Amino acid sequence: MRNPLITVMAAAALLLSACGTPAAGTDPTPSTPGGQDGAAIHFAAAASLTDVAPELTRAYAEETGDTTRIDINLGASSKLVQQANSGQQPDVLITADTQAPEALEDPTAFEPPIDLVSNTLVLAVPATSKITAADQLPEAGAVALCAPAVPCGRAANTYLDHQGFSLNTVSEEDNVRAVLTKVTAGQVDAGFVYATDVAAAGDQVRAIDLTGLDANIYPLLVATDAAEPAQDFARWLQGDAAMKLLNDAGFSAP
């Protein structure tokens, strides 16, 4: 004969399981990204900050003790602005020139930009290249540069127009790091990148200065509705500790 007590206990266990009672050894509290309030800082930055952006976020956490997670989104400035226009607005945005943010459909979504750092466009060539000056560009077989809508592409085309150079074969890339990859892989004879990119490539490439070209100013934009952790991070980016890391990476004062 079945024990009535056992039957009742089994039915109760089934009922509790159906109601979603967690199994033994599991955490009933859903995991929450970011700090104690579950928030995360969405940090979008131009591709030329690929190496230094993670260093900045680590240094910020170590110096301030802020445990808020910082999600880094790196890419061409034009793409980052397009993402903001499509509803993927970051809390903190750094573009590679002051023209990129002009394409924001809602400029009021961000506080007025602050000039953070500057970067200089250079011509990168493989370390073993025979090219020693920019005026040898017309003789080069293939040259890589960013697409015209990207800050590094705008700067490169401005330089080429001023010099009146006509290139043999042009490879247009989505962002400056794609250009650098073409150069380091030996797929092109030269590429227009930033001084910081050449520094990141080490002894794989050489930089050739481009005369008569103004440096790119990198503006820092903070969303008007950014939470306090994001605002704190943006203020820290303007401080001495962040500036040292940016200077070490090859960026200069604006």
Side-chain angles (χ1 to χ4, degrees), residues 189-215:
D189 298 305
F192 287 92
V193 301
Y194 295 114
T196 53
D197 299 303
V198 172
D203 58 4
Q204 297 183 76
V205 299
R206 289 187 288 106
I208 296 174
D209 293 336
L210 304 174
T211 59
L213 191 63
D214 293 334

Side-chain angles (χ1 to χ4, degrees), residues 116-209:
L116 185 65
V117 290
S118 65
N119 207 352
T120 304
L121 194 76
V122 298
L123 186 68
V125 298
T128 56
S129 174
K130 295 181 180 179
I131 298 175
T132 57
D135 59 11
Q136 295 174 276
L137 264 177
E139 304 168 14
V143 179
L145 63 159
C146 295
V150 183
C152 58
R154 278 195 286 270
N157 281 291
T158 296
Y159 175 79
L160 292 171
D161 289 344
H162 285 172
Q163 299 298 322
F165 288 159
S166 178
L167 303 179
N168 293 321
T169 303
V170 174
S171 175
E172 289 190 352
E173 309 302 327
D174 292 336
N175 60 68
V176 72
R177 281 310 172 99
V179 174
L180 182 66
T181 298
K182 288 272 189 178
V183 178
T184 56
Q187 297 175 1
V188 295
D189 298 305
F192 287 92
V193 301
Y194 295 114
T196 53
D197 299 303
V198 172
D203 58 4
Q204 297 183 76
V205 299
R206 289 187 288 106
I208 296 174
D209 293 336

Side-chain angles (χ1 to χ4, degrees), residues 62-158:
E62 291 173 0
E63 183 176 321
T64 65
D66 190 339
T67 59
T68 307
R69 191 185 76 227
I70 302 178
D71 294 333
I72 305 174
N73 178 20
L74 298 161
S77 298
S78 57
K79 182 180 179 180
L80 299 178
V81 170
Q82 289 173 0
Q83 290 174 348
N85 288 337
S86 65
Q88 303 174 57
Q89 178 179 303
D91 299 307
V92 179
L93 170 64
I94 301 176
T95 61
D97 71 359
T98 57
Q99 188 173 337
E102 294 176 3
L104 287 168
E105 294 176 357
D106 182 12
T108 63
F110 292 91
E111 300 289 345
I114 299 167
D115 292 346
L116 185 65
V117 290
S118 65
N119 207 352
T120 304
L121 194 76
V122 298
L123 186 68
V125 298
T128 56
S129 174
K130 295 181 180 179
I131 298 175
T132 57
D135 59 11
Q136 295 174 276
L137 264 177
E139 304 168 14
V143 179
L145 63 159
C146 295
V150 183
C152 58
R154 278 195 286 270
N157 281 291
T158 296

